[in-house]
């Protein structure tokens, strides 16, 4: 592991610890400022309902997303959130366009740039949106169900993953057949299944099928999109 | 003034924004420096940044919309803080609802919170319920990445194929959801299930991306626009959704429900 990777982990740990401390200070500050502390009974009852679902999900997300986002990208993404709908699409498209793999150091650099820029742009837009909303109600007017733009905002994810998927499937079509087929079968049986579970099913199927096809001699390095 | 939108709350909000911006800039500058040492061209790094920025605009506006959803109960600032860090709509809604229900507030987030005690309980549950990734990352990420590094060292072709496969698995989940995902029949939420508009958006953005890929390959002058192709295809796909929604008779605009 290179010196850059080692230092990335050191800095990542420092920033993550700082983020954790700052985020926990927010409810403390609210409680102190308003002199309103939660009753332990209500807090633990509310937390239990959330933790039973979201704590195991957090573990699964860290394991599933870390290999895709790179080291710095993972530390940053888990601070700013919105990983599946923002940070991963940005990383995937950046690696796809530049031609680097997530497993090489150049890919680590590119994914870090993609995630960092996405975090900055998103944070600034949300802050501006909140200010605009507070002052003029502008954002409310373009995203409300009465807005003519509302149907487009409801379909961001299909449009986003359509654009990414087209480029990716064009290069790696052999790898896409098994996961897409399995996902469609699963959805035909239970269409209400959560996206988080679908991602795990899709990734595990894709990894298994690719491994078996590679061992069976059905894939070459060109199928991974790397011609060198 | 409503205590939930007091200047104190705004100071907290801007503090969090400042932290995120400084952290992101720190890693961005480090990556650019390392990129130069590795010989990655400035053009490639600039294109990456531009593409990422373009890709983030529409989802970011959509996140602002989720702040609006939560603001009627929690004021504008707490949802803003929560959705700037870690959060997403599904988590924030569930945790706010769980905290309010624990206090016997059956209306949940459909009614404005007027008690500071309830507000602080919601803030505590939302925060502590979401920090798990930050607790485990410092302990597991390096080991995870080292394990991946060792596997890559053994067979680079296999590793590259597996990396591509993982991305494809993830993309397939979202594409599948846009084709056959179903929404809750009891909840009248437009866009929570797949249907005419999601398939329109998916197919049209695929078509635009394939057209751009073909044109960029055929016309060398257009190669400069390569980093715009994906975000532009997404925006054009959203445009087609608007046209179809406007011109197609409403009877044909359906969503699958369970």
């Amino acid at each position: 592991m290179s010196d850059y990777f080692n230092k990335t982990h050191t800095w990542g740990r420092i920033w993550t610890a700082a983020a954790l401390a700052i985020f926990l200070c927010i409810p403390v500050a609210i409680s102190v400022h308003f002199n309103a502390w939660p009753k332990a009974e209500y807090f633990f009852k509310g937390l239990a309902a959330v933790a039973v679902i979201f704590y195991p999900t957090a573990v699964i997300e860290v394991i599933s997303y870390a290999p895709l986002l790179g080291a710095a990208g993972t530390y940053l993404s888990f601070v700013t959130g919105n990983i599946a709908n923002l940070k991963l699409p940005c990383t995937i498209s950046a690696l796809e366009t530049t031609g680097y793999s997530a497993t090489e150091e150049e890919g680590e650099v590119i994914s870090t740039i993609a995630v960092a820029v996405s975090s900055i742009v998103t944070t600034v837009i949300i802050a501006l949106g909140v200010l605009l909303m507070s002052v003029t109600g502008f954002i409310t007017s373009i995203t409300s169900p009465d807005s003519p733009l509302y149907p487009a905002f409801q379909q961001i994810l299909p449009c986003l993953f359509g654009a990414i998927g087209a480029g990716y499937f064009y290069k790696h079509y052999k790898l896409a057949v098994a996961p897409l087929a399995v996902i469609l079968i699963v959805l035909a049986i239970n269409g209400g299944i959560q996206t988080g579970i679908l991602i795990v099913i899709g990734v595990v199927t894709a990894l298994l099928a690719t491994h078996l096809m590679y061992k069976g001699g059905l894939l070459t390095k060109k199928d991974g999109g790397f011609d060198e | 003034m409503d205590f939930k939108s007091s200047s104190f709350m705004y100071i907290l909000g801007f503090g969090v924004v400042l932290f995120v911006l400084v952290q992101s800039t720190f890693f961005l500058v480090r990556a650019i420096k390392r990129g130069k040492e590795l010989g990655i061209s400035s053009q490639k790094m600039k294109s990456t940044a531009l593409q990422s920025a373009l890709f983030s605009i529409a989802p970011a506006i959509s996140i602002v919309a989720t702040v609006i959803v939560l603001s009627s109960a929690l004021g504008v600032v707490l949802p803003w803080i929560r959705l700037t860090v870690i959060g997403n709509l599904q988590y924030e809604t569930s945790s706010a609802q769980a905290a309010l229900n624990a206090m016997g507030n059956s209306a949940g987030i459909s009614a404005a919170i007027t008690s500071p005690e309830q507000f602080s309980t919601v803030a505590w549950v939302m925060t502590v319920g979401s920090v798990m990734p930050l607790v485990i990352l410092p302990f597991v990420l390096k080991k995870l990445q080292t394990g991946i590094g060792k596997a890559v060292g053994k067979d680079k072709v296999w590793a590259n194929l597996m990396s591509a496969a993982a991305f494809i698995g993830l993309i397939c989940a979202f594409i599948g959801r846009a084709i056959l995902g179903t929404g809750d029949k009891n909840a009248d939420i437009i866009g929570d299930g797949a249907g005419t508009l999601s398939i329109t958006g998916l197919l049209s953005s695929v078509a635009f991306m394939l057209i751009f890929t073909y044109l960029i390959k055929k016309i060398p002058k257009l190669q400069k626009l390569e980093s715009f192709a994906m975000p532009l295809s997404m925006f054009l796909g959203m445009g087609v959704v608007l046209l179809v929604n406007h011109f197609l008779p409403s009877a044909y605009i359906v969503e699958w429900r369970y």
Side-chain angles (χ1 to χ4, degrees):
Chain A
M1 191 175 262
S2 78
D3 190 41
Y4 177 74
F5 269 110
N6 281 325
K7 281 188 179 159
T8 299
H9 283 291
T10 306
W11 281 116
R13 285 168 175 170
I14 292 169
W15 279 103
T16 304
L20 188 59
I22 287 173
F23 299 164
L24 289 173
C25 278
I26 289 167
V28 174
I30 289 173
S31 297
V32 170
H33 183 78
F34 296 117
N35 192 24
W37 292 86
K39 281 190 180 153
E41 179 200 346
Y42 297 150
F43 167 70
F44 285 112
K45 209 172 158 187
L47 181 64
V50 178
V52 72
I53 302 166
F54 289 99
Y55 281 8
T57 311
V59 177
I60 294 168
E61 282 186 348
V62 168
I63 295 167
S64 331
Y65 294 157
L68 307 174
L69 291 162
T74 305
Y75 286 116
L76 261 179
S77 296
F78 278 96
V79 166
T80 50
N82 288 294
I83 299 175
N85 60 335
L86 256 174
K87 306 305 182 314
L88 272 169
C90 287
T91 306
I92 296 170
S93 61
L95 291 175
E96 175 67 14
T97 309
T98 55
Y100 293 121
S101 158
T103 55
E104 55 191 352
E105 197 167 344
E106 286 83 352
E108 163 73 26
V109 166
I110 290 296
S111 63
T112 307
I113 293 173
V115 172
V117 169
S118 173
S119 298
I120 292 169
V121 170
T122 311
T123 304
V124 170
I125 289 178
I126 298 175
L128 288 175
V130 165
L131 287 179
L132 263 175
M133 188 167 71
S134 308
V135 179
T136 65
F138 173 70
I139 297 287
T140 317
S141 65
I142 65 164
T143 55
S144 77
D146 307 329
S147 160
L149 297 178
Y150 183 72
F153 279 105
Q154 294 310 105
Q155 304 305 336
I156 285 178
L157 285 178
C159 296
L160 194 153
F161 280 95
I164 293 174
Y168 233 75
F169 288 3
Y170 183 75
K171 278 190 184 169
H172 319 275
Y173 63 94
K174 282 187 194 169
L175 311 189
V177 177
L180 192 58
V182 170
I183 293 269
L184 289 176
I185 291 167
V186 168
L187 281 167
I189 297 165
N190 177 8
I193 197 163
Q194 281 183 2
T195 310
I197 300 167
L198 275 183
I199 290 173
V200 175
I201 295 171
V203 171
V204 170
T205 309
L207 291 175
L208 268 176
T210 302
H211 177 74
L212 292 175
M213 284 194 287
Y214 180 65
K215 291 292 170 193
L218 298 170
L219 296 173
T220 64
K221 64 180 170 185
K222 211 179 165 188
D223 295 308
F226 308 101
D227 301 322
E228 77 276 13
Chain B
M1 180 187 259
D2 181 7
F3 71 95
K4 302 189 293 289
S5 304
S6 62
S7 49
F8 167 76
M9 289 300 298
Y10 274 98
I11 291 168
L12 289 184
F14 280 111
V16 169
V17 165
L18 187 67
F19 175 82
V20 170
L21 293 180
V22 171
Q23 186 197 15
S24 304
T25 309
F26 172 84
F27 280 106
L28 178 62
V29 171
R30 254 188 106 241
I32 292 171
K33 275 187 191 164
R34 184 62 186 154
K36 282 181 184 166
E37 286 168 13
L38 289 170
I40 302 173
S41 70
S42 300
Q43 184 56 40
K44 252 184 188 174
M45 290 194 274
K46 273 184 198 163
S47 301
T48 300
L50 186 65
Q51 190 184 43
S52 193
L54 287 172
F55 250 130
S56 303
I57 294 170
I61 293 173
S62 152
I63 293 170
V64 179
T66 63
V67 173
I68 297 166
V69 172
L70 291 166
S71 65
S72 56
L74 302 174
V76 75
V77 186
L78 186 59
W80 168 36
I81 294 173
R82 294 295 323 139
L83 288 157
T84 298
V85 291
I86 312 179
N88 59 54
L89 179 65
Q90 190 196 356
Y91 168 75
E92 306 305 341
T93 315
S94 328
S95 55
Q97 191 77 28
L100 289 165
N101 289 347
M103 289 179 280
N105 179 338
S106 55
I109 57 165
S110 50
I113 293 176
T114 51
S115 139
E117 284 79 13
Q118 290 201 352
F119 185 67
S120 107
T121 308
V122 170
W124 274 98
V125 171
M126 280 175 135
T127 306
V128 179
S130 70
V131 294
M132 187 48 126
L134 301 186
V135 175
I136 55 176
L137 265 184
F139 299 102
V140 302
L141 187 58
K142 192 172 182 184
K143 283 178 190 158
L144 208 62
Q145 299 271 346
T146 311
I148 294 164
K150 279 181 187 162
V152 171
K154 281 180 191 163
D155 185 347
K156 204 161 184 252
V157 175
W158 175 84
N160 282 338
L161 282 165
M162 295 306 269
S163 169
F167 282 124
I168 283 172
L170 176 119
I171 295 168
C172 286
F174 283 93
I175 288 182
R177 187 97 186 88
I179 298 169
L180 283 181
T182 53
D184 185 351
K185 69 178 173 191
N186 297 316
D188 188 22
I189 305 167
I190 298 169
D192 73 331
T196 324
L197 293 183
S198 68
I199 292 172
T200 301
L202 179 71
L203 293 181
S204 47
S205 59
V206 165
F208 284 119
M209 187 61 203
L210 291 177
I211 292 167
F212 285 134
T213 308
Y214 176 80
L215 290 176
I216 287 166
K217 221 174 181 179
K218 289 282 165 198
I219 308 168
K221 270 186 186 173
L222 291 179
Q223 270 174 8
K224 282 181 191 167
L225 300 176
E226 195 176 0
S227 55
F228 291 98
M230 279 192 221
L232 198 57
S233 303
M234 176 184 80
F235 287 124
L236 289 170
M238 289 167 73
V240 174
V241 167
L242 286 181
L243 288 176
V244 169
N245 184 63
H246 187 74
F247 290 110
L248 197 69
S250 57
Y252 292 99
I253 297 179
V254 291
E255 276 185 23
W256 329 139
R257 297 268 174 230
Y258 66 87

